[in-house]
Amino acid sequence: MPRKRSRRAETVVLPAAKSLDHRPAPISPNDRRLNFGEKWSYAPAPEAHNYIQLKRRYQLFIGGKFVAPRSGKYFDSINPATEEKLAEIAEADARDIDLAVKAARRAYKSVWGKMPGRERGKFLYRVARLIQERSRELAVLETMDGGKTIKESRDIDLPLVAAHFFYYAGWADKLEYAFPGRTARPLGVAGQIIPWNFPLLMAAWKLAPALACGNTCVLKPAETTSITAMHLAEIFQEAGLPAGVVNIVTGAGETGKALVEHSDVDKIAFTGSTSVGKLLTQAVAGTKKDLTLELGGKAANIIFEDAPIDQAVEGIIAGIYFNQGHVCCAGSRLLVQEGVFPAVIRKLRDRIATLRVGNPLDKNTDIGAINSRMQLEKICQLVDSGLRQGAELVQSKALLPKKGYWYPPSFFTGVTESHRIAQEEIFGPVLSVMTFRTPEEAIERANNTPYGLSAGVWTDKGSKIFKIVSKLRAGIVWANTYNKFDPTSPFGGYKESGFGREGGRHGLMPYVMLN
Ligand code: NAD
Ligand code: MN
């Protein structure tokens, strides 16, 4: 059934893009360019959310209890797809942080730090099972608060969240095998700060290994996506996790800063922007605190002439339009070997025109809402810079909903290495396409970035994969696939993408002292 045009035939108003009109134009019925809207539209298939119990206000989770912030201040969390307020979130200040760190220290000294690993493991298994039981509800909440599609929160985020708890539950009583011949001891209290792109998954990446190793935690979610973390807190209560083992404090940068500066924190783990990462490096220098950073990326996805092109184009689509491009390891630079450039561009063009942008709770939606107005403005600014510096933009003419924050799937051609869009993280559904002639040139271009988080290689030849991969300065390289995650596999970057690994046996290392 074709969608009724009257309901959604609105053009997007992109706040930052006044001077250059690259916004999707209204579609005329005769316009066949990049407009498969009618042909490809599906009947609405919205995920039910009427059973979701949102609280009017979410408090802080400290010492096993939900408590009001000392300041009495709250801020709103909105649904970026509708701009509706979902709930009020407590704003923690330095006094609340102090209470949370004290609760974590008490729990560390009195129970968790000395509990045998096999007992800690039981709690983690219980948490993992409760997450699985409530995974649909958590996926819907994740989509409502953050804007990501239900397809992803349901099929990617939540299964991985549970898998991380299961995986690290398994290590809790086997640390002597993780580090043969050495004794692994916990560090103490870990302060953990996470971003908004994978709210629950980042919480799991941080909490599960820290707890498995016997540390206690103070977690700070991102200010636009705190709700699911507070539902996770309920799961910790339900699992009977001893009070204070996990504390969750909400708020923005100031709250995070207070956590980093607290004198009784032993370790800071951070995922987010490189600029904040640099601030944290300065803040912990000269203190007893350990630090791990997982920062941005500007990954190169390299397509060789011998690659299976259709498969590669699908991988590129998944690599950059997946999760609205809100992925630090997104394949945001595409390097295409010259001989296949026209074919790849033609296929990409056709394919982005079929991507469905809109209601993230609809099961058929491919690209949901941009997480916040601020992020949308940042995307628009970078796209403007690309146009000003002379690159050409190809953009889907998908009809965008009137309310909410949206950006249509887009890519740039004619990009040179000095363009900002080739160097900076756009963190949106925008790809920069460049070409290369030889494998050496591909490697040089791929490595020509201050980042070093991830990369992708597409070729028919296994030997070429190994040759290229060994020369790429990236923590993760996918070959003939992209954006695949598994709790057993370490993740992390080189250079300005940070240091320390999360996931796998490596992911235990940042949370132990080895003797
Ligand atoms: P950010 O780095 O500002 O925020 C990440 C987390 O750090 C949030 O919880 C935030 O509240 C907290 N924070 C902010 N300032 C802090 C400070 N001074 N001390 C301690 N904690 C602080 O990222 P953002 O503003 O949400 O996004 C900006 C850019 O960061 C994005 O456009 C993107 O390029 C990048 N980013 C990267 C990732 C990633 O996974 N690597 C995730 C989200 C955003
Ligand atoms: Mn929100």
Side-chain angles (χ1 to χ4, degrees):
M1 186 184 83
R3 287 183 190 168
K4 279 208 197 79
R5 174 155 291 180
S6 59
R7 268 198 303 122
R8 47 197 290 278
E10 299 288 343
T11 52
V12 68
V13 181
L14 299 179
K18 294 201 183 74
S19 53
L20 291 152
D21 197 18
H22 59 273
R23 284 159 287 184
I27 291 179
S28 93
N30 304 323
D31 189 349
R32 281 275 162 270
R33 289 169 307 148
L34 288 189
N35 170 18
F36 297 100
E38 293 296 306
K39 196 159 111 197
W40 290 92
S41 61
Y42 284 14
E47 169 81 17
H49 64 283
N50 50 2
Y51 66 96
I52 296 291
Q53 302 208 328
L54 277 165
K55 291 204 173 64
R56 193 176 67 84
R57 272 189 167 175
Y58 286 88
Q59 308 291 7
L60 307 171
F61 184 61
I62 297 177
K65 294 195 189 74
F66 291 96
V67 297
R70 296 296 287 266
S71 66
K73 284 192 197 154
Y74 293 82
F75 60 95
D76 293 347
S77 198
I78 62 150
N79 179 340
T82 60
E83 296 176 56
E84 278 161 7
K85 170 173 161 181
L86 291 172
E88 290 176 7
I89 312 289
E91 188 183 312
D93 65 18
R95 292 170 293 175
D96 305 297
I97 295 291
D98 187 49
L99 292 174
V101 173
K102 286 199 169 107
R105 178 63 62 192
R106 264 195 309 278
Y108 176 69
K109 281 197 180 147
S110 62
V111 275
W112 200 253
K114 53 187 182 187
M115 187 185 278
R118 61 177 185 281
E119 297 302 317
R120 291 199 302 269
K122 286 181 196 166
F123 283 107
L124 295 180
Y125 279 121
R126 204 180 290 162
V127 167
R129 282 194 300 271
L130 287 168
I131 289 169
Q132 277 187 321
E133 273 170 30
R134 289 173 62 178
S135 89
R136 195 62 168 245
E137 173 199 340
L138 290 169
V140 174
L141 276 168
E142 199 78 305
T143 288
M144 289 170 73
D145 200 17
K148 64 168 56 194
T149 63
I150 188 70
K151 201 154 70 171
E152 271 162 23
S153 55
R154 180 196 61 197
D155 298 345
I156 297 172
D157 294 53
L158 263 296
L160 281 170
V161 173
H164 271 269
F165 277 99
F166 276 118
Y167 176 75
Y168 282 108
W171 274 121
D173 64 347
K174 301 176 195 69
L175 294 177
E176 57 189 299
Y177 302 101
F179 308 104
R182 309 184 75 177
T183 315
R185 285 186 297 130
L187 299 174
V189 175
Q192 305 176 313
I193 299 173
I194 55 173
W196 41 260
N197 53 346
F198 291 87
L200 272 177
L201 186 56
M202 291 303 106
W205 279 24
K206 297 274 179 291
L207 295 172
L211 298 174
C213 294
N215 304 277
T216 57
C217 302
V218 178
L219 176 80
K220 195 201 81 67
E223 53 272 32
T224 55
T225 54
S226 304
I227 293 179
T228 48
M230 301 324 293
H231 286 248
L232 185 63
E234 288 173 7
I235 287 181
F236 292 136
Q237 268 187 337
E238 206 180 325
L241 192 71
V245 171
V246 175
N247 306 274
I248 305 182
V249 288
T250 45
E254 280 302 307
T255 309
K257 193 162 173 282
L259 177 55
V260 172
E261 286 171 359
H262 195 288
S263 59
D264 199 30
V265 171
D266 299 296
K267 199 232 150 61
I268 294 292
F270 173 81
T271 299
S273 61
T274 298
S275 53
V276 174
K278 285 180 180 168
L279 290 177
L280 300 201
T281 313
Q282 290 163 9
V284 306
T287 71
K288 65 168 180 175
K289 291 166 203 165
D290 273 10
L291 179 69
T292 41
L293 298 174
E294 201 269 277
L295 308 173
K298 191 74 189 173
N301 220 339
I302 307 170
I303 305 194
F304 286 98
E305 278 164 3
D306 60 8
I309 300 295
D310 286 330
Q311 193 185 323
V313 168
E314 278 315 298
I316 292 154
I317 296 283
I320 182 70
Y321 302 119
F322 166 82
N323 201 14
Q324 298 71 246
H326 295 339
V327 186
C328 46
C329 53
S332 55
R333 288 184 299 153
L334 177 62
L335 302 183
V336 190
Q337 198 161 15
E338 271 183 6
V340 286
F341 181 73
V344 168
I345 290 298
R346 186 167 31 80
K347 283 173 197 280
L348 255 184
R349 226 184 141 91
D350 290 350
R351 187 66 178 90
I352 63 166
T354 68
L355 294 173
R356 290 174 292 263
V357 187
N359 181 7
L361 276 173
D362 191 304
K363 291 162 195 158
N364 292 323
T365 297
D366 298 304
I367 298 184
I370 301 302
N371 182 263
S372 65
R373 175 175 290 278
M374 229 174 74
Q375 190 59 32
L376 178 58
E377 283 172 9
K378 196 184 146 197
I379 297 169
C380 293
Q381 276 167 17
L382 275 159
V383 170
D384 274 0
S385 84
L387 291 169
R388 284 210 187 85
Q389 292 185 316
E392 279 160 46
L393 183 71
V394 177
Q395 189 163 67
S396 148
K397 296 218 185 275
L399 294 167
L400 305 176
K402 192 174 175 190
K403 281 230 146 180
Y405 314 130
W406 313 94
Y407 204 87
S410 315
F411 65 85
F412 275 110
T413 56
V415 180
T416 69
E417 298 204 21
S418 61
H419 286 165
R420 282 182 67 195
I421 52 168
Q423 292 292 330
E424 292 175 38
E425 214 177 6
I426 301 179
F427 230 65
V430 185
L431 176 68
S432 299
V433 188
M434 288 170 274
T435 57
F436 68 91
R437 288 193 186 136
T438 61
E440 290 68 33
E441 195 187 344
I443 292 163
E444 199 189 304
R445 293 204 151 193
N447 288 336
N448 183 14
T449 155
Y451 293 112
L453 190 55
S454 58
V457 180
W458 299 83
T459 167
D460 204 26
K461 288 203 178 55
S463 57
K464 204 186 262 172
I465 292 173
F466 288 116
K467 190 177 152 205
I468 302 284
V469 163
S470 65
K471 300 205 171 82
L472 290 174
R473 294 286 291 164
I476 305 102
V477 185
W478 286 286
N480 293 330
T481 186
Y482 207 85
N483 268 344
K484 291 280 184 280
F485 298 94
D486 190 284
T488 63
S489 174
F491 184 98
Y494 284 99
K495 300 191 280 186
E496 289 196 14
S497 292
F499 48 85
R501 294 290 178 266
E502 297 186 293
R505 190 177 60 83
H506 301 69
L508 298 166
M509 237 113 75
Y511 292 102
V512 291
M513 227 177 317
L514 293 174
N515 291 111

